[in-house]
Amino acid sequence: MPSLKAGKLAARTGLTVRTLHYYEERGLLTPERTAAGHRIYATADMVRLQQIVSLKQLGFPLEAIAAMLDDPDYALEPVLHQQLTAIDQQLAETTRLKQRLEGLLGQIQQGTALSVDDLLSTIQATTMYEKYYTPDQLAELQARADALGPDGMAKAQQDWQDLINEVRAELDQGTAADSDRMKPLVARWNALIRAFTGGNPAIAQSMKTMYEQEGPAAASQGMVDTEVIAFMQKALQAHA
Amino acid sequence: MPSLKAGKLAARTGLTVRTLHYYEERGLLTPERTAAGHRIYATADMVRLQQIVSLKQLGFPLEAIAAMLDDPDYALEPVLHQQLTAIDQQLAETTRLKQRLEGLLGQIQQGTALSVDDLLSTIQATTMYEKYYTPDQLAELQARADALGPDGMAKAQQDWQDLINEVRAELDQGTAADSDRMKPLVARWNALIRAFTGGNPAIAQSMKTMYEQEGPAAASQGMVDTEVIAFMQKALQAHA
DNA sequence: GATAAGCCCTCACGTCGCGTGAGGTGCAAG
DNA sequence: CTTGCACCTCACGCGACGTGAGGGCTTATC
């Protein structure tokens, strides 16, 4: 009769004894026991173990596997869809990460960036943008940046920084987003955005999506201060 | 003077206070303290935090980030390369996972597979193969499977199962891999492999690679018993 | 100057899927 | 009968925090 103890089953499946114990802890697999407490895995247990392993290969957490195996009428389609969209998202993120890494490696091999600091300045400039702008749009942005030259870029950066500082000052003073005091700041903000987008509405739209979607996480990229962004979004709407 | 306490900094960066604490625990960020023990983040701390976040976005673990930031001459190229190959591998695995999920969803939507059990039989048949065989080879295998028909498939499966059981019996009896008793079993094994590969050496090669590379993990897929496989590899070599 | 609200602090345990010992018992072979 | 291996049960470790619990600090209001 084909029934095995933990060590043998582990050897045959390529799992470890600890893993079998763990599955039992989680209620996934419940072999019989000898009088001395040794686990005895019968054929049915092996079949079930095989199912567990297969479902794990599909990326399901153990808890979900337990639910599936314990209910034979489990609705598979929704979980598969869910799993698939999660996978798609992960795939997209990983792909972007790969592109970033390749870009940085390229910079290093060209000698453009050598220290951690150099690297970080590159990251800030590129990370978030790649996500929301199409290649076309990125090319256009790059062209405009080139046209400005390093000095122009520095000035634009400074303009943004000054404006953000002033907005934060108002925020700290408790100024309301729809206050008249915000009017000139809103105007300057819009002007800077126009300069950035070059009047291209597609780019403006991408930028808007970026802030809406990304929220706090985006700001952490360039350290743009999430509070200021949220505040300005209200102000922009109030003075639309 | 721009220096903030934990809550404010957290709000601005989109991180949580706990995260700031944790970075301090790990030695990544060490703000000053007030007499009462409250953390005070100066501008330099914010810059450093920004660097930490950026490097985290590249997928580095906190320990590596600490090393990079503490040594300005840190050799970046190797770690970037390493990171990139890790990413590539992850990408490949995730892509395969996605394909599997899509295949299964297709089956469900066609009504071919409805229960968890149906799903699992499909998984076993396909999972591992997709990894090591080229699409061409998979098509050829599929064609041969179709030619056999369901009955032929069942017989082939049974032949394999019988052979494996016999091999395991020898293994349990302590028969040596190079023993003459193994000769007929080796011959049958080779015959079944020829039937499977259809004499196509490319497919045979893929199959070999699969077993070599995958080892125990592969077996867990179809529950092929890793011990029997290892034993047969020795036997096949001994009787080559 | 007292009090309440809100921010800050330090433990300390939970997450997920096991790996890795430590320390003790069971079992088949010599 | 003893040796040695297989088995058992705790119990801590990982990575990057989340989530309270329980208690001090600070600031606005009365």
Side-chain angles (χ1 to χ4, degrees):
Chain A
M1 52 210 68
S3 71
L4 299 173
K5 289 204 271 180
K8 301 281 182 188
L9 181 56
R12 291 203 190 176
T13 56
L15 303 174
T16 68
V17 173
R18 174 64 176 119
T19 300
L20 297 174
H21 289 183
Y22 186 63
Y23 289 169
E24 189 171 351
E25 260 182 67
R26 303 300 306 270
L28 279 165
L29 198 58
T30 47
E32 298 292 314
R33 301 289 193 121
T34 68
H38 290 197
R39 291 170 179 80
I40 298 295
Y41 295 89
T43 312
D45 296 315
M46 301 185 207
V47 169
R48 189 170 167 101
L49 178 56
Q50 205 275 344
Q51 297 177 333
I52 294 169
V53 171
S54 294
L55 288 171
K56 232 173 68 63
Q57 301 270 344
L58 291 181
F60 291 109
L62 295 183
E63 196 178 335
I65 295 176
M68 292 182 190
L69 290 181
D70 288 344
D71 176 5
D73 298 329
Y74 197 87
L76 288 170
E77 199 172 342
V79 291
L80 283 179
H81 256 119
Q82 199 180 332
Q83 186 72 2
L84 194 55
T85 62
I87 290 292
D88 272 335
Q89 197 173 344
Q90 195 199 322
L91 212 53
E93 271 179 42
T94 309
T95 304
R96 271 185 293 116
L97 177 51
K98 180 184 172 181
Q99 287 171 352
R100 264 182 275 164
L101 285 168
E102 282 173 343
L104 294 174
L105 257 179
Q107 288 229 339
I108 285 190
Q109 282 160 356
Q110 283 176 21
T112 315
L114 293 165
S115 72
V116 176
D117 276 357
D118 296 338
L119 208 59
L120 291 171
S121 54
T122 305
I123 298 170
Q124 290 176 39
T126 59
T127 302
M128 196 173 34
Y129 292 179
E130 290 168 348
K131 198 164 169 182
Y132 286 97
Y133 300 102
T134 67
D136 291 6
Q137 292 173 355
L138 282 171
E140 190 180 330
L141 290 174
Q142 186 61 46
R144 209 158 25 249
D146 289 348
L148 278 177
D151 292 355
M153 287 290 286
K155 182 177 180 311
Q157 281 248 349
Q158 192 56 52
D159 289 347
W160 272 111
Q161 200 53 56
D162 292 345
L163 177 54
I164 286 168
N165 287 342
E166 290 176 49
V167 172
R168 168 143 286 281
E170 295 294 340
L171 207 174
D172 287 344
Q173 281 176 36
T175 306
D178 57 359
S179 153
D180 280 347
R181 292 179 58 86
M182 291 303 293
K183 257 194 177 170
L185 296 175
V186 166
R188 280 169 60 195
W189 189 280
N190 279 327
L192 282 177
I193 286 191
R194 261 197 309 279
F196 178 73
T197 62
N200 183 327
I203 288 184
Q205 182 55 43
S206 295
M207 193 176 174
K208 189 154 162 277
T209 315
M210 177 170 88
Y211 282 127
E212 281 168 358
Q213 292 279 315
E214 207 68 6
S220 69
Q221 281 294 2
M223 215 60 156
V224 188
D225 194 331
T226 65
E227 287 179 329
V228 165
I229 290 178
F231 182 60
M232 273 310 290
Q233 272 180 341
K234 270 193 270 181
L236 289 169
Q237 229 171 5
H239 297 275
Chain B
M1 51 212 69
S3 71
L4 299 173
K5 289 203 271 179
K8 302 280 182 188
L9 181 57
R12 291 203 190 177
T13 55
L15 304 174
T16 68
V17 174
R18 174 65 175 119
T19 300
L20 296 174
H21 289 182
Y22 185 63
Y23 289 170
E24 188 171 353
E25 259 182 67
R26 304 300 306 270
L28 278 166
L29 197 58
T30 48
E32 299 291 315
R33 301 288 192 121
T34 67
H38 290 195
R39 291 172 178 78
I40 298 295
Y41 295 89
T43 312
D45 296 316
M46 302 186 207
V47 170
R48 189 169 167 102
L49 178 57
Q50 205 276 343
Q51 297 177 333
I52 294 169
V53 171
S54 294
L55 289 171
K56 233 173 68 63
Q57 301 270 344
L58 291 181
F60 291 109
L62 295 183
E63 196 178 336
I65 295 176
M68 292 182 190
L69 290 181
D70 289 344
D71 176 3
D73 299 329
Y74 196 88
L76 289 169
E77 201 172 342
V79 290
L80 283 179
H81 256 118
Q82 199 179 332
Q83 186 70 4
L84 195 54
T85 61
I87 290 292
D88 272 336
Q89 196 172 346
Q90 194 200 320
L91 212 52
E93 272 180 40
T94 309
T95 304
R96 270 185 293 115
L97 178 51
K98 180 184 170 179
Q99 287 170 353
R100 264 181 275 163
L101 284 168
E102 282 172 343
L104 293 174
L105 256 179
Q107 288 230 339
I108 285 190
Q109 282 160 356
Q110 284 176 20
T112 317
L114 293 166
S115 72
V116 176
D117 276 358
D118 295 338
L119 208 59
L120 291 170
S121 54
T122 305
I123 298 171
Q124 290 175 40
T126 61
T127 302
M128 195 173 35
Y129 291 177
E130 290 169 348
K131 199 164 170 181
Y132 286 97
Y133 299 101
T134 67
D136 290 7
Q137 291 173 356
L138 283 172
E140 190 179 332
L141 290 173
Q142 186 60 48
R144 207 156 27 248
D146 290 346
L148 278 177
D151 292 354
M153 286 291 286
K155 183 178 180 311
Q157 280 249 348
Q158 193 55 53
D159 288 348
W160 271 111
Q161 199 53 59
D162 291 345
L163 177 54
I164 286 170
N165 288 341
E166 289 176 49
V167 171
R168 168 142 285 282
E170 295 296 339
L171 207 173
D172 286 344
Q173 280 176 37
T175 307
D178 57 358
S179 154
D180 279 347
R181 291 178 60 86
M182 291 302 294
K183 256 193 180 172
L185 295 175
V186 166
R188 281 169 59 195
W189 189 279
N190 279 328
L192 281 177
I193 286 191
R194 260 197 309 280
F196 178 73
T197 63
N200 182 328
I203 288 184
Q205 182 56 43
S206 296
M207 193 176 174
K208 190 154 162 275
T209 314
M210 178 171 87
Y211 282 126
E212 281 168 359
Q213 293 277 317
E214 207 67 6
S220 69
Q221 280 295 1
M223 216 59 155
V224 189
D225 195 331
T226 65
E227 287 179 330
V228 165
I229 290 178
F231 182 61
M232 273 312 289
Q233 272 180 342
K234 269 192 272 181
L236 288 168
Q237 229 171 3
H239 297 275

